[in-house]
């Protein structure tokens, strides 16, 4: 006895399938951008504040834009007018991390400009961790999942699928 499998292709759906990648690409890029800015916002809300320089130095880089220069300006201003410990002391270039390179399509980076941000996030032998970026990234995963599902639905609808 032989098993037989029949594959029936409805030819009217083929043009729709050809349109799908063209429509889906921009939708997915938008979902990634929205998620990155969501993570940036959540990280800023969760970030511990002394002078506000660390919070101000959080920025997003996408294929088409970077918030590095604005975050650098904000961090320097915050640091210079911050707490009694740091008031009037300018932020030196050694305290600011270099800008991350711009990613390609479907990628975005949320970064921290202040070099000490990693010590706040993960702690040191003398200071407990105060995570702000990793917790925002975890919340961002659910946000991205929802945005991708919406993007697929919109792209399918725009391509003629129901």
């Amino acid at each position: 006895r032989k098993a037989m499998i029949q594959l029936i292709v409805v030819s009217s759906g083929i043009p729709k399938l050809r349109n799908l990648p063209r429509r889906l690409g921009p939708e997915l890029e938008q979902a990634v951008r929205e998620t990155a800015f969501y993570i940036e916002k959540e990280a800023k809300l969760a970030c511990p504040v002394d002078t506000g320089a660390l919070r101000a130095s959080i920025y997003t880089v996408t294929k088409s834009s970077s918030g590095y220069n604005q975050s650098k300006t904000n961090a320097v201003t915050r640091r210079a007018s911050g707490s009694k410990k740091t008031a009037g002391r300018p932020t030196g270039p050694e305290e600011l991390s270099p800008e991350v390179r711009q990613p390609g399509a479907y990628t975005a980076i949320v970064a921290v400009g202040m070099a000490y941000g990693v010590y706040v996030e993960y702690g040191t032998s003398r200071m407990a961790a105060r995570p702000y970026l990793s917790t925002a990234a975890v919340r961002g995963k659910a946000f991205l999942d929802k945005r991708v599902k919406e993007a697929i639905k919109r792209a399918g609808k725009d391509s003629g699928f129901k």
Side-chain angles (χ1 to χ4, degrees):
R1 233 175 173 181
K2 293 183 179 182
M4 188 170 145
I5 299 174
Q6 265 190 330
L7 179 62
I8 300 171
V9 177
V10 180
S11 62
S12 64
I14 291 174
K16 293 176 186 178
L17 285 174
R18 287 187 184 128
N19 287 333
L20 191 59
R22 191 180 58 201
R23 302 231 192 252
L24 187 56
E27 292 283 352
L28 291 176
E29 282 189 40
Q30 181 63 26
V32 168
R33 270 193 306 277
E34 288 174 2
T35 301
F37 287 112
Y38 172 81
I39 292 170
E40 177 184 340
K41 180 189 77 161
E42 291 295 312
K44 286 180 175 181
L45 290 172
C47 183
V49 177
D50 178 19
T51 66
L54 180 60
R55 176 186 287 168
S57 78
I58 299 170
Y59 67 100
T60 297
V61 180
T62 66
K63 178 182 169 185
S64 58
S65 67
S66 172
Y68 179 76
N69 288 330
Q70 185 62 48
S71 71
K72 181 176 158 184
T73 301
N74 292 345
V76 170
T77 303
R78 286 291 196 177
R79 185 65 185 256
S81 64
S83 70
K84 290 181 182 178
K85 292 185 281 183
T86 61
R89 190 179 93 203
T91 301
E94 69 281 352
E95 294 184 59
L96 292 168
S97 298
E99 181 176 18
V100 296
R101 66 179 178 81
Q102 285 188 293
Y106 315 115
T107 307
I109 299 168
V110 179
V112 178
M114 297 304 289
Y116 65 84
V118 67
Y119 303 119
V120 175
E121 177 76 21
Y122 296 108
T124 67
S125 61
R126 296 183 179 164
M127 180 180 81
R130 293 167 63 183
Y132 57 97
L133 192 56
S134 58
T135 55
V138 168
R139 286 192 293 278
K141 184 188 179 315
F143 186 90
L144 179 62
D145 289 346
K146 181 179 176 188
R147 290 296 184 266
V148 167
K149 285 177 187 173
E150 291 169 356
I152 291 169
K153 281 181 184 177
R154 280 193 305 273
K157 200 172 189 180
D158 290 347
S159 295
F161 290 97
K162 294 179 183 178

